[in-house]
Amino acid sequence: MKPIFAANWKMNGSLESINQLISSLLSQSLNSIAREVIIFPPSPYLLHTKKLLGNINWYVGGQNLSNFDQGAYTGEVAASMLRDLGCGYVLVGHSERRHVIGESCELVAQKFHKAIQHKLIPILCIGETLDERNAKETYNVIDKQLRSVLDLPTGAEILSKGIVAYEPVWAIGTGIAAKPNDVANLHGYIRTWLLENKVEDVPIIYGGSVTPDNAHELLLKPEINGVLVGGASLDANKFMEILKCIN
Ligand code: PGA
């Protein structure tokens, strides 16, 4: 399993800033074979970003997709459209979509399924809020978020084709990352949960205030199969330092 480095640009950037960011990343040498690098630009910039990446074996992915195939759903982006633009991956259930936009676990599960149907690899984002953490609800939240996909018909098969990103909501964009030991324990819990439900070989990555200062220690843990980077991925030097945390 290659370590995964995912860059979630969220709703940031412009043609000009993306040109600069990608050219600065590509100007530095990196053994791309050893890593799975996936860039998640805002959807209007997907094709442009893909073109800028040229022949380098990095992927682009959507930050969201519709649970419908096509039709009268103004503003939505279909899985088939993401495929058309050359996406290999899609984020599903990012905490900002769950907690700011209000997506339910059921909707997230439908989107996960839609991604699989269209041969996109979904990255299922799960994690507890600060209140849930303080109320010692973390495991229950994780169970519920994973179970919504598992409970789909042939759920174990569907879930085993994706990636899980543990992203505690209190760590996202706050500068307070979860401690590597705590992340490793949580990932161990998720791994056991998956195996008990016959879901094998799913990478489990961590997101939430990943920076060049903490990425190395996180990635040293065998339970952590990669990182999902938000803020630091908008800075070419910081993202490159994170990429270089492994040889
Ligand atoms: P952050 O975002 O690195 O800025 O905390 C991570 C994410 O939202 O995926």
Side-chain angles (χ1 to χ4, degrees), residues 82-211:
L82 294 176
R83 288 284 304 179
D84 263 355
L85 296 182
C87 290
Y89 294 81
V90 64
L91 297 179
V92 178
H94 187 277
S95 78
E96 285 144 24
R97 299 221 51 96
R98 291 182 193 266
H99 298 292
V100 183
I101 314 287
E103 289 189 3
S104 66
C105 277
E106 292 66 34
L107 179 60
V108 170
Q110 286 171 19
K111 290 182 173 199
F112 192 99
H113 190 202
K114 194 53 70 185
I116 298 290
Q117 281 177 339
H118 289 268
K119 302 206 165 19
L120 288 163
I121 300 177
I123 301 185
L124 177 68
C125 303
I126 60 172
E128 79 286 5
T129 63
L130 188 58
D131 284 349
E132 288 162 343
R133 177 180 154 89
N134 290 340
K136 306 218 176 325
E137 285 292 314
T138 299
Y139 294 122
N140 288 342
V141 171
I142 284 170
D143 289 353
K144 181 172 177 236
Q145 292 176 338
L146 288 172
R147 184 155 292 285
S148 66
V149 178
L150 187 77
D151 282 349
L152 295 167
T154 70
E157 202 183 311
I158 290 171
L159 197 46
S160 67
K161 292 183 179 146
I163 294 172
V164 171
Y166 171 57
E167 294 209 300
V169 182
W170 50 269
I172 296 179
T174 58
I176 305 165
K179 295 194 177 68
N181 278 340
D182 293 344
V183 177
N185 286 339
L186 235 303
H187 283 210
Y189 173 82
I190 295 169
R191 176 69 64 208
T192 304
W193 192 101
L194 292 171
L195 290 175
E196 279 173 3
N197 288 292
K198 310 221 165 358
V199 180
E200 289 172 14
D201 298 330
V202 170
I204 306 172
I205 66 177
Y206 167 77
S209 296
V210 174
T211 65

Side-chain angles (χ1 to χ4, degrees), residues 12-55:
N12 293 296
S14 62
L15 279 181
E16 198 187 329
S17 71
I18 290 171
N19 288 345
Q20 280 170 8
L21 180 53
I22 297 290
S23 84
S24 168
L25 287 170
L26 296 187
S27 68
Q28 307 189 41
S29 67
L30 184 80
N31 171 8
S32 295
I33 310 288
R35 306 160 175 78
E36 191 91 338
V37 183
I38 317 156
I39 310 279
F40 293 91
S43 47
Y45 299 127
L46 271 167
L47 193 58
H48 184 69
T49 306
K50 172 96 182 146
K51 284 184 178 158
L52 289 177
L53 290 173
N55 291 332

